[in-house]
Amino acid sequence: MDINGETLVETTISDVGTYENQEVTLKGWLYNKRSSGRIMFLILRDGTGIIQCVASKKDIGEDLFSRLGKLNQESSLVVRGIVRGDSRAPGGYEIGVTGCTIVSEAFDDYPISLKEHGVEFLLDHRHLWMRTPRQRSILLIRSEIIKACRDFLDGEGFVNVDAPIMTPSACEGTTTLFPVEYFGEQAYLSQSGQLYNEAAIMSLGKVYCFGPTFRAEKSKTRRHLTEFWMIEPEAAFMEFEEMLELEERMICFILERVLTGCGHLLKEIGRDTERLTGITPPFPRLTYTEAVGLLKQRGIDIAWGDDFGAPYETAIASEFDKPVFVTHFPTKIKAFYMQPDPDNPDCVLGADLLAPEGYGEIIGGGQRIHDYDLLLERLNQHNLPAKDYEWYLDLRRYGSVPHSGFGMGIERAVAWICGLEHVRETIPFPRMINRLRP
Ligand code: 4AD
Ligand code: MG
């Protein structure tokens, strides 16, 4: 950075410690400021952290001092100053300001002040809300969770393949498809990359896709987005039991990563990390039939064959400190591709992983039908036109093998790990039934 013809070390707030007692420049935004006559405290944020910059009239002159004094929150600045160790400062350092360039003066009506706002107001101003420390922490944790998923699967020998977003047919049932007009043909936004993963494993063995998925769900709950991100591993020759173990390992890997790498961020957002530390394999397992029995014991009115709503999932999960698998759902309430249990074909080799503390299903997965005739029969039962699934049937015609996979919704995982009330804070720009903007 060049100020007044001098070249100074340019660094970030997270790295200032490397330059103690040296003069550096920092580029960022004014988060807050206060003044006591001849001294002004500028709280600067730059994405990597927050630091207090102390400016005095004597060091920077009347003119700059008075211009800084008039700055509104969120004005952008390049600050020059000496890095000073200060045990009372949050990051352990502060900056003794020697100079400052005002890059852009913020207007005086910045909508997100440091007071409380209603959540609809905040969502309307998501583009600005995301600058606040809490939202920044959540986005950092989200990024770490995504990285952990990738590192885990890469380490287990999975290959990242990406599934298309525009698709001609349904994966998870036809009722929640978003239509797209595709050059005179009807297409849909993808609900899941699974079917394409199933093709890719016959080439690569173990694969995963990671991308946005779309559900035109009319659900207005704290767990539902219409656009969410899903990590979907799939493996040839992997059977049901092995898949459950893979899920356990992945969840524990993610938790370990976040607890070690983002412990300070979890603390900042007020997460009780005790609830996450004891989570190790194996996770408890209940069959759907056992889960229904448990719910009945707890006085809940449910019949065998009913799908689980959120309150049921919460009731089941609250019995355990760890995530819990519910397995062997009734065939008739699950997707067409689910492999029936050979010992009881009324149930499938499918599992939902329910997170503790009321967060509900974070993973859905199972073993897939690998028999050609059975798959064809199921497509017919679900009124899905076989001609749209010819390519998918080909996978059963040419060297079919038992295989399994699952999908984890990133936002559900972030909500649980961060302990958030609602998934709307887990994604940079949430899309929900009543929200498409900003
Ligand atoms: O259980 P789902 O529908 O499973 C599938 O889509 C499979 N094809 C995945 C696979 O096996 N490859 O969705 C998987 C996960 C859920 O457990 C949940 O975490 C998340 O995706 N999810 C949602 N997240 C936010 N908003 C929604 N509307 C969601 N619907 C599903
Ligand atoms: Mg599901």
Side-chain angles (χ1 to χ4, degrees), residues 45 50 77-78 88 134 144 157 214 222 252 259 273 281 309 317 332 338 359 384 387 435:
R45 57 168 197 85
I50 282 196
L77 305 173
V78 177
R88 291 159 308 170
R134 179 180 167 81
E144 190 62 33
F214 305 86
R222 62 196 196 92
C252 294
L259 286 165
T273 50
K332 63 172 191 192
M338 293 245 184
Y359 285 96
L384 294 167
K387 69 167 181 14
R435 183 165 293 280

Side-chain angles (χ1 to χ4, degrees), residues 227-438:
E227 175 177 316
F228 64 96
W229 287 68
M230 186 153 45
I231 185 108
E232 298 183 84
E234 187 82 23
F237 299 102
M238 177 168 71
E239 298 197 30
F240 186 59
E241 185 59 33
E242 222 187 308
M243 183 203 72
L244 298 180
E245 287 164 16
L246 182 71
E247 289 185 31
E248 282 170 347
R249 285 204 302 285
M250 185 166 109
I251 293 292
C252 294
F253 184 94
I254 296 168
L255 288 174
E256 166 74 29
R257 262 296 181 80
V258 176
L259 286 165
T260 38
C262 303
H264 59 297
L265 297 171
L266 290 169
K267 204 156 158 200
E268 264 173 44
I269 63 173
R271 179 62 163 131
D272 174 9
T273 50
E274 291 284 300
R275 308 294 296 265
L276 303 173
T277 45
I279 296 176
T280 50
F283 296 168
R285 291 168 196 199
L286 287 177
T287 64
Y288 169 88
T289 307
E290 288 165 343
V292 168
L294 181 82
L295 290 171
K296 282 186 168 154
Q297 268 178 31
R298 299 287 176 269
I300 293 169
D301 183 26
I302 179 174
W304 197 93
D306 290 350
D307 207 351
F308 287 168
Y312 298 170
E313 288 181 355
T314 301
I316 297 162
S318 67
E319 303 276 329
F320 308 92
D321 294 333
K322 294 182 187 182
V324 51
F325 286 113
V326 180
T327 66
H328 300 84
F329 285 89
T331 308
K332 63 172 191 192
I333 60 169
K334 284 290 180 185
F336 73 95
Y337 53 72
M338 293 245 184
Q339 172 71 38
D341 179 3
D343 298 329
N344 174 15
D346 289 340
C347 295
V348 287
L349 298 179
D352 284 358
L353 184 68
L354 311 183
E357 301 171 70
Y359 285 96
E361 180 196 333
I362 52 168
I363 297 183
Q367 191 164 330
R368 326 301 191 188
I369 293 175
H370 58 275
D371 180 74
Y372 176 86
D373 294 321
L374 181 57
L375 183 61
L376 194 58
E377 189 186 313
R378 283 283 189 276
L379 285 169
N380 290 332
Q381 282 167 358
H382 284 256
N383 292 319
L384 294 167
K387 69 167 181 14
D388 287 350
Y389 293 83
E390 272 307 315
W391 69 268
Y392 188 64
L393 284 160
D394 266 353
L395 309 176
R396 280 71 184 170
R397 288 189 184 104
Y398 306 111
S400 189
V401 297
H403 62 284
S404 308
F406 62 87
M408 183 179 84
I410 292 295
E411 293 75 19
R412 297 257 181 107
V414 174
W416 166 48
I417 292 171
C418 292
L420 306 177
E421 236 341 270
H422 198 294
V423 287
R424 64 192 164 211
E425 280 182 83
T426 64
I427 185 163
F429 293 94
R431 297 288 175 253
M432 294 174 286
I433 179 166
N434 55 358
R435 183 165 293 280
L436 179 65
R437 297 180 176 81

